[in-house]
Amino acid sequence: MRTTKKICFVLLAAILTGCSTTPKVIADVVEQLPSQPAEKVVVYNTDERVPRGAKPIGKVNVTDGGMTPAYKCLYGSMLALAVRKTAECGGNALHVDEHRTPNFFTSSCHRIWGTMYVLPDSLVSGDAPSTLLLLEEEKDRELLAMTQEQIKRREKALDNPDNIFKVNVGPSWITSELQTPTKTYKNVRGIALELGYQHLWRSGIGIGFSYLYHSTSFDEAYGVKLHYFGPSVVYGIKLGDSWRMDGALGLGCSVYMEEAKNTMVSKNFESSVGILGQIGIEYMLSKSIGIGIQFNSFTMSMKRPAGIDTSKYDFYGIKRIDAQFGLRFYI
């Protein structure tokens, strides 16, 4: 058993380690020469020409190794890898033939394809700053710019309205089995209404309060009505200039009622603690109003009805999901 656990641990560690890789450097050398100091390699960008007299010795490309973190494959870092490989192959000049910037669909890395050259000593200036030193400075600038951009993105993502009022309505389904003296019901559809309020702080965390009403009619002579009201913990984030997403987890008071059709006579009344989970996305039409969709998960435990065998249920009560659409008011 211990051996099996060790094997599983090693495999898990290998998988987790393999999820984060380093960039991949590949060189195709026509002529292998003695290596040279990487500090002496001259770099020519895509819009620059290599001087006459330069001799090509092969190709080099530096690409994403697969799931490489963006900070490990900035342009300065990737170009430095190509420079070191050029020096290792005996070249003292590198021409960047193609440079692809990070792309959401293909790679989070800068990718470089280049040609390695040998320049005559007369074309190599000994007074020029080290290429690797310049690339190290470029990498520092990129890291600073990336950090500043991440800070701006986070600030923008947490730029939520302070107060949000919600009005939602939509279909609702009781997914748990509901026993009656004559029949067992499951996946009964009804309609749900919500009135909600949220207050968010600058951290994106906030508090809220929700009232939910659910109504379902059965084939028999009665229907079910559910009421829920209670506080919740909320987290909200902006996905762009106009899109928002939020989620909430609440604990409150739930009321279950069975009513005869077309009357207000209650056949059964029960109150209990209810658990509410919510997730929603919305579009801000303006700074004052928006529209959104929201999905709710609701659970309420109930007393087992007398005279009905419910022993097969470990949990007896109401489990419900809602899909709602509605308005948002921002203050």
Side-chain angles (χ1 to χ4, degrees), residues 186-212:
K186 189 175 182 181
N187 294 326
V188 181
R189 189 176 69 178
I191 189 167
L193 168 71
E194 180 196 13
L195 301 176
Y197 165 75
Q198 295 179 352
H199 174 77
L200 298 173
W201 292 290
R202 295 299 298 174
S203 62
I205 299 174
I207 57 174
F209 191 90
S210 297
Y211 166 74
L212 279 89

Side-chain angles (χ1 to χ4, degrees), residues 15-153:
I15 292 171
L16 293 176
T17 302
C19 288
S20 178
T21 63
T22 56
K24 183 167 56 176
V25 185
I26 299 176
D28 183 11
V29 182
V30 177
E31 181 182 357
Q32 183 67 52
L33 299 172
S35 62
Q36 299 200 35
E39 293 78 11
K40 301 299 181 182
V41 175
V42 181
V43 175
Y44 297 92
N45 293 317
T46 53
D47 58 346
E48 296 177 321
R49 288 187 176 183
V50 178
R52 288 185 178 181
K55 178 183 177 182
I57 63 170
K59 298 284 187 178
V60 61
N61 62 66
V62 187
T63 57
D64 186 354
M67 298 182 67
T68 306
Y71 71 89
K72 287 187 178 181
C73 50
L74 300 170
Y75 180 68
S77 303
M78 302 294 268
L79 190 53
L81 290 173
V83 166
R84 289 191 173 93
K85 178 58 71 172
T86 299
E88 180 185 323
C89 295
N92 60 359
L94 170 68
H95 182 265
V96 179
D97 301 328
E98 183 180 358
H99 168 217
R100 296 182 188 175
T101 55
N103 184 286
F104 178 80
F105 297 101
T106 55
S107 174
S108 60
C109 294
H110 288 268
R111 289 149 292 163
I112 294 171
W113 287 261
T115 302
M116 301 179 290
Y117 291 89
V118 173
L119 291 176
D121 293 337
S122 60
L123 296 177
V124 180
S125 173
D127 299 330
S130 165
T131 299
L132 290 180
L133 177 61
L134 294 175
L135 291 177
E136 190 66 28
E137 293 174 353
E138 174 66 20
K139 185 181 76 171
D140 291 341
R141 286 192 293 270
E142 288 182 282
L143 282 172
L144 177 60
M146 177 181 286
T147 302
Q148 291 173 336
E149 180 63 26
Q150 289 176 342
I151 292 173
K152 287 181 181 179
R153 258 188 264 173

